[in-house]
Amino acid sequence: MPRLYLVTGFLGAGKTTFLKRLVHCFPGRRTALIVNEYGREGVDGALLSGLGASLTEIDNGSIFCSCRLARFEEVLRSTLAEGPDVILVEASGLSDPSAAGRILSQREKFPGLTYAGAVCLVDAARFHSVYASSGVCRRQLAAAGLILINKTDLVSPEQAALVRAEVEAQRPGCPVHETSFGTLDPAWLSALDAPAPPAAQSPSRRRLTLTVGPDCPPASLERFLSVFARDTRRIRGFVPLSDGMYLADCVGPQVRLEPWQGEALNPGRLTVLFDGDMPAPGSLWAAMTWYPECHAAVE
């Protein structure tokens, strides 16, 4: 039965270099590559040629969005007909793989296929800025069964340790390894045979109360809220900050923080409302790690 490995990671994380290494983890087995480029020009395909594996490119969109999903399923069925032992799929850096497990587990469409799981590459040098600004990056981490912090040669050991702590706060229990130039130990792939760990540690609920310390600077609180606001429906409450009382009123990713002169009910406590019955997103725990000056805590 062919096994499919999905490679994800935000733009510039080193997925193509990693894929070159990954191919060599399956000596003697027929390997097929499916490479997804978001733009119209397929560059990765040219970089991956000559690896001794069949190669198909899907460009002009993400394979997991409605615009290219049908094409991806068509290519995957055609690839399966060729009888490979291993299929490696490199998703676009802008792909949201949240539905990958459901799509790839459709027995009626892909009989005999085993979805091994997703390997997510993290750019050690750019993780903080990318994670804070990109919901796709957070969803790539959430869908991963194995996370590799790549390009650690570009940061100090202290910076690498901080990135690792932030990644582990987002995905507690998920195997995480540090590497450079996409190098991997084939034994790391065995982690994909284990059940995927949960994406967060908090109890399942739609609403929680977040407390904020009184000495937090307004600019820090605004950045703190921006990290996870896109994963919420509403954040609202009064907060006494370093220079006075403020009203925090956020709708989705739009963060609004303004000075408040009137009566303030329950100051220092923010009500956070999520969509659906779900655990608090890992982005909240990451924000609490990144901005300790906010002295935030979940009640």
Side-chain angles (χ1 to χ4, degrees):
M1 294 176 63
R3 291 176 63 82
L4 185 148
Y5 295 83
L6 176 64
V7 179
T8 70
F10 204 69
L11 301 169
K15 296 186 298 297
T16 302
T17 300
F18 171 74
L19 201 57
K20 291 180 179 181
R21 311 276 193 183
L22 184 59
V23 167
H24 296 295
C25 290
F26 307 100
R29 283 182 269 183
R30 291 170 296 177
T31 304
L33 306 180
I34 299 176
V35 179
N36 177 210
E37 294 257 23
Y38 196 83
R40 292 179 180 273
E41 301 298 328
V43 176
D44 285 354
L47 298 175
L48 292 167
S49 61
L51 290 178
S54 67
L55 172 65
T56 305
E57 295 180 82
I58 302 174
D59 57 14
N60 200 25
S62 164
I63 56 175
F64 296 119
C65 74
S66 57
C67 63
R68 303 305 284 159
L69 179 57
R71 172 60 178 157
F72 172 55
E73 292 183 340
E74 174 189 343
V75 167
L76 182 53
R77 285 193 295 269
S78 177
T79 300
L80 284 169
E82 298 173 1
D85 300 309
V86 177
I87 301 173
L88 307 179
V89 178
E90 179 192 350
S92 158
L94 297 176
S95 288
D96 177 356
S98 301
R102 176 181 57 79
I103 292 169
L104 296 170
S105 299
Q106 298 177 92
R107 298 294 184 185
E108 68 282 5
K109 288 186 177 181
F110 314 118
L113 178 67
T114 297
Y115 175 46
V119 182
C120 180
L121 269 73
V122 168
D123 184 339
R126 297 173 57 236
F127 175 73
H128 191 140
S129 60
V130 169
Y131 185 87
S133 62
S134 171
V136 165
C137 177
R138 294 194 287 275
R139 290 187 283 274
Q140 289 171 352
L141 282 177
L146 172 64
I147 299 171
L148 303 184
I149 302 174
N150 195 29
K151 301 188 177 183
T152 54
D153 58 302
L154 301 180
V155 300
S156 67
E158 293 76 17
Q159 289 174 302
L162 178 59
V163 171
R164 184 180 187 119
E166 293 164 351
V167 168
E168 290 177 342
Q170 161 73 353
R171 291 302 315 277
C174 184
V176 179
H177 298 280
E178 299 172 26
T179 188
S180 297
F181 308 105
T183 303
L184 79 155
D185 182 338
W188 295 347
L189 298 176
S190 62
L192 297 175
D193 295 326
Q201 290 179 312
S202 62
S204 180
R205 51 190 169 180
R206 291 191 61 186
R207 183 190 307 244
L208 60 78
T209 299
L210 191 66
T211 60
V212 178
D215 298 324
C216 175
S220 292
L221 180 61
E222 186 171 1
R223 289 192 293 267
F224 169 80
L225 296 173
S226 296
V227 173
F228 64 92
R230 69 181 63 245
D231 294 324
T232 70
R233 178 177 292 180
R234 191 76 183 267
I235 305 172
R236 203 156 192 261
F238 297 100
V239 282
L241 300 181
S242 58
D243 61 351
M245 187 69 68
Y246 280 75
L247 168 65
D249 192 0
C250 313
V251 179
Q254 299 178 345
V255 174
R256 185 164 67 95
L257 190 64
E258 59 184 36
W260 184 257
Q261 301 297 329
E263 182 182 2
L265 300 176
N266 299 317
R269 303 178 74 209
L270 296 174
T271 297
V272 183
L273 182 65
F274 300 99
D275 277 319
D277 187 19
M278 57 177 287
S283 54
L284 170 58
W285 310 113
M288 293 167 67
T289 301
W290 293 345
Y291 298 101
E293 67 270 26
C294 293
H295 302 289
V298 175
E299 288 191 352

